[in-house]
Amino acid sequence: MLFICACSKNNERKFNFIYSVELESTNGKKIEMWIPVPKTNEVQIIDNIQINSDGLNYTIEEEVVHNNKYLYINEPAGTQNKKAISLSFDVNRIEHQNVNYKGVDPQQYLGSYSVVPTGSIFSKVIEKNNLSKNNIRAIYDYVLSGMHYGKPKEIGDKYYSDPWLSSEGRYGDKAVNRDEVVGLYKKAKAEKGNYTFGNGNSIYACDIGVGNCTDYHSYFMSLSRTLEVPARFHMGYPIPGGKEGKVGGYHCWADYYEEGKGWTPVDISEADKAPDKAEYYFGNVTESRVEMMLGRDFILKGYDQGIINLFIYPIMEINDQTSSAFSKSFQYKEI
């Protein structure tokens, strides 16, 4: 069945997307890998899915909370040589505004996630800034004005300097400087923590105010849900202009629910990077993307490390231990 969004004057884009993973030999040690698989919904049609596991055993599983699909590779005998895995699919994606999604219960999207809590600090932010469930645009504007896009990993790298961060800048509720942002990244990396950018940690986003799309939209979700407004987290890939090429990495966005209007999308980090489009990104999502996963805190079959905060890149275990002995790449071609 084909789905169509009940929105007028939609632009659409049709393209093939290839999700590629190259594995190192595991020298006979058990390998497990999890890769997200996109689904058709009211704003995208996914067709012609082709999986090449290079001989590795796999199944297609369904994540039970949000009904996402994923590829589960489970090879007890491991590998003795390199393997090349690919997931290819066609996408027909439309630009959309508010949408009524079939079979979605808004009440399911009011609680907390592991790093997206509600209440507490967010109740104080709401009270201090007079935020209300009757004015979601004010929540969008508050996050947009309070957050700063940046992912500085070293002093002097791209995101450390203008136009991302400045030497005079003080960021977040804790009024940190850019050196402290770098320090928090290094500390989190050393301790395998999540109090840094890129983890969708809404307390970090509130405190520090510097991050990527995961942080903006987690902050938005914590504020919205604290106000008892259902809000969801979407994760996928942005598709560049042009007929074909590489996709550099993931992107995420959010939507919120209003009775009678359905789910309205917001893309606050893109609005921050392109201020002239701030009006557009409140209530609109471009056709140049594909959604891979919905929600947070995933429980995946066979995974031994507990819940998964974010799931967009491959996850791998060797002999039940987390491993990064693989490389990933993404390509698209218009059709």
Side-chain angles (χ1 to χ4, degrees), residues 115-152:
V115 294
V116 190
T118 58
S120 185
I121 185 175
F122 304 106
S123 296
K124 295 177 182 177
V125 169
I126 288 166
E127 181 179 2
K128 181 179 178 181
N129 295 278
N130 297 313
L131 300 177
S132 165
K133 65 186 304 178
N134 299 317
N135 187 356
I136 307 300
R137 177 58 191 262
I139 301 174
Y140 171 93
D141 289 339
Y142 177 78
V143 175
L144 178 59
S145 64
M147 289 290 296
H148 299 267
Y149 196 92
K151 302 174 286 184

Side-chain angles (χ1 to χ4, degrees), residues 289-323:
R289 65 185 58 181
V290 56
E291 177 180 308
M292 299 293 289
M293 297 291 285
L294 167 71
R296 300 283 287 274
D297 283 4
F298 306 109
I299 299 174
L300 305 183
K301 180 179 178 179
Y303 186 68
D304 297 308
Q305 313 302 321
I307 63 171
I308 296 172
N309 174 30
L310 301 169
F311 182 29
I312 186 68
Y313 290 151
I315 298 170
M316 186 167 76
E317 289 182 351
I318 297 177
N319 278 357
D320 301 325
Q321 298 298 314
T322 301
S323 173

